[in-house]
C-alpha cells in the first residue's frame, strides 16, 4: 500500500482509504455485522484512513467506527469526520456555537476527546469565504476539540477559496476518471499550498466497476435510485453528475482500456490506481458494503499505471464525458 502525507495534518495515511457513507445510509441496507467486517477487512488490508460524517445514518457510521476503535485500541488509524449537513443549509448556521455542539456529538459517537480531522460538509458556498467561519474553526483547534480541519466541496471554485486559507489542512472533492476538472485546477493549487486532497466518489458511484446495465435496479433507499436528478441532494454526488446511460457507455470503454493495461486487475482497481497516480492526491476514499469489496479496493494501492494508460483515459474523458458533465462542475 502506498503511503502519503495528508496535507497540513502531517499524518501519514494509506493512498486508499475507506469512505463509510455506505455504513450509515443511502446505499441500501448494511447490517452491523457486515459493517464491522468491512472495517476489519479494510484495516487488515493496509487501510489507515477512514472517512465518515455526522449525517451518515444520522450518526450511525460514526458510532460504528467508534465501537470498532474501542475494540481495536492498538489500531494505527486516522479518522476524518464531517459536520454541517444535519441542519438547514443557511450560511448563518455555520457558527462557533453550532460547531461546538456538532463537535461534541461526533466526539461522543467516535469515543475520542480530540478528532483527527473535521471537515465542513459541503456547506453553502458563501461559507467558504467567511472569515468568522475560519476563526471559529481555529478556536476549535485551540480548545483541543480537533487536531485539524478541512472542507468537503462540490465545485472547483469552492475548493480554490478554501485552499487560499492558511490553516486548511485538506480539501475533499469528487475526482475520478469521469471528472477531470479538479485535476486541472484544484490539484496544482493544493500542491503549491501544501493542502491535502481527499478524492471522494472515485468510482463514480459504481459506474467504473462496469457491473451495471440499463436494467440494473437499486434499492429504494439507495441514492443511485432516488437522486439521479439531484432531488435529494447535489446531483454530483450520484454518478458524478453524469447521465446514467452516458456513464454506462463510457464505463464499457474504460473497462476495455483497463483490461489491456492490467489484465490481472478489475476495472474498479484500475480506476483507483489511475487516480492514485495523479500528482497531488493524498488519499482516495472508495466505499464498500462487503469485506471483499474493501479488500479489493485496498489492493489497488499497490497497482502501478503507465503514462500511456493515463493518456487514454484523458482521451476518453475529452471525447465522451467532458461535454456530458453538468456545467456546475
Amino acid at each position: 500500500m502506498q503511503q502519503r502525507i495528508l496535507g497540513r495534518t502531517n499524518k501519514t495515511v494509506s493512498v486508499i482509504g475507506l469512505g463509510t457513507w455506505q455504513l450509515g445510509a443511502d446505499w441500501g441496507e448494511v447490517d452491523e455485522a457486515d459493517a464491522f467486517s468491512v472495517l476489519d477487512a479494510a484495516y487488515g488490508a493496509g487501510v489507515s484512513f477512514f472517512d465518515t460524517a455526522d449525517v451518515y445514518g444520522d450518526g450511525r457510521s460514526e458510532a460504528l467506527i467508534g465501537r470498532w476503535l474501542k475494540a481495536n485500541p492498538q489500531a494505527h488509524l486516522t479518522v476524518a469526520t464531517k459536520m454541517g449537513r444535519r441542519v438547514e443549509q443557511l450560511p448563518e448556521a455555520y457558527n462557533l456555537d453550532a460547531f461546538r455542539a456538532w463537535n461534541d456529538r461526533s466526539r461522543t459517537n467516535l469515543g475520542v476527546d480530540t478528532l483527527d480531522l473535521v471537515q465542513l460538509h459541503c456547506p453553502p458556498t458563501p461559507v467558504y469565504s467567511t472569515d468568522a467561519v475560519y476563526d471559529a474553526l481555529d478556536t476549535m483547534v485551540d480548545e483541543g476539540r480537533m487536531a485539524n480541519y478541512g472542507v468537503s466541496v462540490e465545485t472547483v471554485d469552492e475548493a480554490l477559496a478554501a485552499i487560499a486559507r492558511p490553516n486548511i489542512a485538506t480539501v475533499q472533492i469528487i475526482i475520478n476518471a469521469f471528472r477531470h476538472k479538479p485535476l486541472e485546477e484544484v490539484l496544482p493549487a493544493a500542491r503549491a499550498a501544501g493542502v491535502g486532497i481527499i478524492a471522494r466518489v472515485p468510482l463514480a458511484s459504481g459506474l467504473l466497476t462496469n457491473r451495471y446495465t440499463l436494467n440494473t435496479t437499486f434499492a429504494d433507499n439507495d441514492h443511485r435510485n432516488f437522486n439521479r436528478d439531484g432531488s435529494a441532494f447535489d446531483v454530483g454526488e450520484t454518478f458524478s453528475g453524469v447521465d446514467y446511460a452516458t456513464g454506462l457507455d463510457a464505463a464499457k470503454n474504460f473497462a476495455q482500456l483497463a483490461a489491456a493495461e492490467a489484465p490481472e486487475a478489475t476495472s474498479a482497481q484500475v480506476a483507483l490506481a489511475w487516480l492514485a497516480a495523479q500528482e497531488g492526491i493524498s488519499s482516495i476514499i472508495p466505499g464498500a458494503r462487503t469485506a471483499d469489496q474493501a479488500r479489493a479496493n485496498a489492493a489497488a494501492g499497490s497497482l502501478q499505471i503507465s503514462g500511456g494508460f493515463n493518456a487514454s483515459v484523458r482521451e476518453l474523458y475529452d471525447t465522451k464525458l467532458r461535454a456530458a458533465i453538468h456545467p456546475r462542475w
Side-chain angles (χ1 to χ4, degrees):
M1 176 73 75
Q2 299 175 52
Q3 305 294 314
R4 308 276 172 89
I5 299 296
L6 187 60
R8 290 174 176 153
T9 72
N10 290 320
K11 291 179 176 289
T12 300
V13 298
S14 54
V15 70
I16 304 296
L18 177 70
T20 62
W21 186 8
Q22 281 89 339
L23 307 189
D26 297 323
W27 291 82
E29 198 64 35
V30 178
D31 66 28
E32 285 194 4
D34 287 339
F36 288 122
S37 292
V38 167
L39 297 173
D40 284 338
Y43 187 73
V47 170
S48 61
F49 180 60
F50 291 174
D51 178 86
T52 185
D54 61 2
V55 76
Y56 295 164
D58 197 26
R60 180 178 190 254
S61 177
E62 283 185 332
L64 289 169
I65 292 172
R67 288 167 58 190
W68 187 90
L69 291 172
K70 185 176 181 179
N72 295 272
Q74 79 292 346
H76 179 69
L77 192 69
T78 297
V79 178
T81 191
K82 298 184 284 292
M83 64 180 184
R85 298 298 295 187
R86 297 176 60 250
V87 299
E88 186 176 2
Q89 292 302 286
L90 301 171
E92 56 267 29
Y94 288 75
N95 58 70
L96 181 56
D97 287 342
F99 290 172
R100 284 174 172 151
W102 301 341
N103 182 271
D104 285 344
R105 186 174 185 268
S106 289
R107 288 189 299 149
T108 297
N109 284 342
L110 286 163
V112 299
D113 293 325
T114 302
L115 297 165
D116 294 331
L117 173 65
V118 177
Q119 304 154 97
L120 296 184
H121 197 175
C122 300
T125 299
V127 169
Y128 297 99
S129 301
T130 302
D131 290 344
V133 167
Y134 296 96
D135 291 342
L137 292 170
D138 287 334
T139 296
M140 299 270 282
V141 173
D142 292 341
E143 292 175 347
R145 292 169 167 274
M146 59 193 193
N148 303 276
Y149 65 81
V151 294
S152 183
V153 306
E154 296 288 1
T155 70
V156 162
D157 288 343
E158 291 169 347
L160 295 176
I163 288 168
R165 296 288 173 159
N167 294 326
I168 283 287
T170 60
V171 168
Q172 184 175 142
I173 189 169
I174 299 172
I175 317 174
N176 56 55
F178 289 176
R179 188 188 287 197
H180 287 206
K181 190 174 180 182
L183 300 176
E184 300 161 357
E185 300 186 38
V186 176
L187 266 60
R191 290 198 302 271
V195 171
I197 292 293
I198 302 168
R200 77 173 188 278
V201 196
L203 298 177
S205 303
L207 279 177
L208 284 162
T209 66
N210 194 39
R211 294 190 293 108
Y212 304 150
T213 71
L214 289 173
N215 296 321
T216 299
T217 59
F218 300 96
D220 289 344
N221 60 347
D222 190 318
H223 72 103
R224 292 170 294 183
N225 176 46
F226 65 76
N227 193 56
R228 292 188 191 187
D229 60 355
S231 58
F233 41 79
D234 200 296
V235 70
E237 302 287 348
T238 303
F239 300 128
S240 298
V242 178
D243 171 74
Y244 184 59
T246 301
L248 289 176
D249 183 52
K252 290 179 181 178
N253 294 138
F254 183 89
Q256 292 168 349
L257 295 172
E261 173 70 11
E264 75 286 2
T266 66
S267 180
Q269 288 171 327
V270 175
L272 294 173
W274 170 83
L275 187 50
Q278 307 307 308
E279 187 180 3
I281 295 291
S282 302
S283 192
I284 305 163
I285 50 171
R289 298 180 73 247
T290 69
D292 285 345
Q293 288 176 352
R295 283 188 285 265
N297 290 340
S302 58
L303 186 63
Q304 300 298 315
I305 294 300
S306 69
F309 180 77
N310 186 56
S312 296
V313 173
R314 294 296 183 115
E315 182 181 3
L316 172 62
Y317 174 79
D318 286 338
T319 56
K320 287 205 169 182
L321 290 158
R322 186 181 290 274
I325 297 291
H326 192 285
R328 175 171 163 80
W329 303 288

